[in-house]
Amino acid sequence: MEIRIEGFDLPGRHCGAGPDFPGYRNIHVAVQRRDRRDELLDPYPGDAPAAVWTVECEPVPTDSGIELKGPYIQGRAGSRFIYLSWGTVDETGNFTMLRRAKLMLDAIDPGAVTAAVRSGRLLARLPLTDAKGWPLCARVQPPLIEWSAS
């Protein structure tokens, strides 16, 4: 099965400083591989019109429902998530992480997961800018993120 993440409303490549945000230049976002903080899937610049990632996963039946596992799925059983890592990219192409968003898989409606197992695809749609105009971070759950089978 695959998970397709569609991000829109990116914050821009440069974000100004705020009271608890130092401001950054040349911001990018990518999906982070499990247990490999520096291994990123398809980085997009912060001023891209949209960002789309597709990750493979394995649905595993458990006593409490369907658990999703895969190389880009983080966390323990019952609290799985996908990291979107925000960082700056320097002139040599090095990515330095500045914040992350956790797309919480345990917050998905179980019916949507069951339907996605049948269809082969789970779709996530979310804005990538927070209320302050900065890169989205912290725990991301519905209604901010929309999950559906496709």
Side-chain angles (χ1 to χ4, degrees), residues 30-122:
V31 172
Q32 179 186 315
R33 188 175 177 95
R34 182 184 69 244
D35 298 327
R36 297 183 188 167
R37 184 177 173 145
D38 295 327
E39 193 170 323
L40 303 169
L41 176 67
D42 299 333
Y44 283 86
D47 60 355
V52 178
W53 300 275
T54 300
V55 298
E56 293 295 322
C57 73
E58 178 185 355
V60 178
T62 68
D63 292 340
S64 59
I66 297 172
E67 195 77 38
L68 301 176
K69 296 182 178 184
Y72 291 93
I73 297 176
Q74 316 269 346
R76 297 184 194 135
S79 61
R80 304 257 190 228
F81 60 91
I82 295 173
Y83 265 137
L84 292 185
S85 290
W86 292 94
T88 58
V89 176
D90 67 18
E91 55 281 342
T92 63
N94 289 322
F95 183 95
T96 302
M97 188 177 60
L98 58 103
R99 61 183 1 184
R100 295 188 285 199
K102 280 184 171 182
L103 309 185
M104 302 308 298
L105 300 178
D106 60 329
I108 304 170
D109 177 84
V113 175
T114 300
V117 170
R118 284 194 302 271
S119 72
R121 179 185 282 174
L122 181 63

